Amino acid sequence: MAYRRIKEVFKVDLPQHKRAHIDDTAQDVLEVIGAGLPRSGTTSLKAALEILGFDPCHHMSELFDHPGKSAEWASFLIASPEQSSEESEQRMQKIRLAMRGYRATVDSPGCDVYQDLVKLYPKAKVVLSVRDSDEAWWKSFTSSMGAQTKKRYAWLTYPIPFLRENMVLFRVLANRWTRLAGMNSLGPAVHGAHNQDVQSNVPPERLLVFNMNMGWAPLCEFLGVQVPDQPFPNMNDAKTIARLVLGAQLMGACVWLLYLGLTGFMIFIAFNYGGITMAWTGLRQ
């Protein structure tokens, strides 16, 4: 898998949690919608939900193992507001199909279609994961995923198809966040704007605003389950993600060097073909 190739080369891995194995017999059972942005504790929340029995839980990390789905999710997010009712219904059904078999979802891209999921799953509860402040979220974002917003990352990773597809999705997400915040570029205010949007569109009785330092009690009470006899997971993967992003750039740079080397070799052969042929003929004689 794409994600495994990078982590094996650079000897890094995200915290371990269950990976989904969805087949044609999977049921349409989404019960928990995680509406919080990436870097708001979503990896810890994913692990917590799986401990509580809401597994498998969808997370952006799933796309590393299924890179072809990045383009599919990007298409959901760039759908025109002028779609016909038939096109809109088709889009909703595709989102439902993408969520089939998952009992929960957190992080992007699920959090970016939370309004669609709220409509598709009227009995599902919504957990909005938040950081202590907009500045805290921005610090976590820039120290891990931030490099993906740079043109350098786009250029370096372009030759690798699965990274290019992930990059397209990330650009679509970034455009959505900045538009929602009324900004020209990403910044701390994205966190607050997104959270306000969720709280304005989800009925209060279906919504829990949740900070990871609140622990098990409010989450379990909201979901109607017992508090487990183990600590609340604390899975800070910022450094690991930063290393994966660096690894992706280095892998892309190696591919570019290979392409340039092959191009130079072919140009050399083209301009020196006659001389090489004569030299080879002379050697054979």
Side-chain angles (χ1 to χ4, degrees):
M1 292 297 185
Y3 162 69
R4 295 195 185 102
R5 290 202 293 270
I6 293 181
K7 75 175 187 179
E8 286 170 0
V9 172
F10 296 96
K11 297 181 172 59
V12 294
D13 197 4
L14 293 172
Q16 294 298 308
H17 41 230
K18 297 178 183 178
R19 277 288 204 249
H21 298 283
I22 308 300
D23 56 34
D24 291 337
T25 64
Q27 300 298 307
D28 195 13
V29 293
L30 194 70
E31 297 177 68
V32 182
I33 301 168
L37 287 173
R39 309 312 308 153
S40 64
T42 53
T43 305
S44 295
L45 181 58
K46 171 179 166 68
L49 291 172
E50 290 174 339
I51 290 171
L52 296 175
F54 297 97
D55 62 294
C57 178
H58 191 273
H59 183 279
M60 183 179 274
S61 59
E62 299 282 335
L63 301 184
F64 286 112
D65 285 343
H66 306 284
K69 292 188 176 294
S70 294
E72 180 181 40
W73 277 102
S75 71
F76 299 157
L77 291 162
I78 61 177
S80 170
E82 299 178 357
Q83 281 185 323
S84 67
S85 58
E86 182 179 352
E87 290 173 330
S88 179
E89 178 61 25
Q90 290 176 351
R91 173 181 172 275
M92 292 286 278
Q93 292 310 313
K94 288 179 181 179
I95 293 175
R96 182 188 287 277
L97 185 61
M99 285 286 97
R100 188 177 64 182
Y102 292 98
R103 295 189 66 190
T105 179
V106 298
D107 205 90
S108 287
C111 73
D112 299 282
V113 294
Y114 79 88
Q115 292 190 60
D116 299 300
L117 295 177
V118 166
K119 294 176 183 177
L120 285 168
Y121 302 95
K123 294 183 179 180
K125 296 186 176 181
V126 182
V127 179
L128 174 60
S129 52
V130 300
R131 297 297 294 249
D132 293 336
S133 67
D134 293 352
E135 289 70 24
W137 173 81
W138 182 242
K139 180 179 179 180
S140 178
F141 180 86
T142 54
S143 66
S144 54
M145 302 170 64
Q148 291 177 274
T149 66
K150 308 299 183 184
K151 290 183 179 180
R152 180 182 65 182
Y153 181 89
W155 277 103
L156 286 173
T157 60
Y158 186 83
I160 305 176
F162 73 86
L163 290 177
R164 185 165 64 245
E165 291 183 356
N166 286 339
M167 184 64 198
V168 169
L169 174 60
F170 189 83
R171 300 295 293 185
V172 171
L173 293 173
N175 289 337
R176 175 193 175 274
W177 298 341
T178 54
R179 185 171 62 252
L180 187 64
M183 303 168 61
N184 294 322
S185 60
L186 291 173
V190 166
H191 176 257
H194 174 83
N195 294 345
Q196 182 59 49
D197 186 70
V198 173
Q199 294 178 72
S200 297
N201 288 290
V202 178
E205 64 274 12
R206 293 183 63 182
L207 178 65
L208 172 67
V209 180
F210 184 68
N211 190 307
M212 298 306 125
N213 59 27
M214 295 165 68
W216 287 118
L219 182 63
C220 292
E221 180 181 0
F222 179 67
L223 298 176
V225 297
Q226 292 185 341
V227 175
D229 187 22
Q230 64 183 91
F232 191 88
N234 179 17
M235 307 179 80
N236 187 350
D237 56 2
K239 291 183 178 179
T240 299
I241 292 176
R243 290 186 64 188
L244 283 171
V245 170
L246 176 61
Q249 293 179 86
L250 292 175
M251 183 178 290
C254 290
V255 174
W256 274 118
L257 288 174
L258 177 61
Y259 285 171
L260 292 173
L262 289 173
T263 301
F265 177 74
M266 296 302 293
I267 292 173
F268 175 81
I269 293 295
F271 278 93
N272 296 275
Y273 181 78
I276 295 173
T277 302
M278 292 178 60
W280 177 250
T281 302
L283 287 173
R284 295 186 64 181
Q285 293 175 351

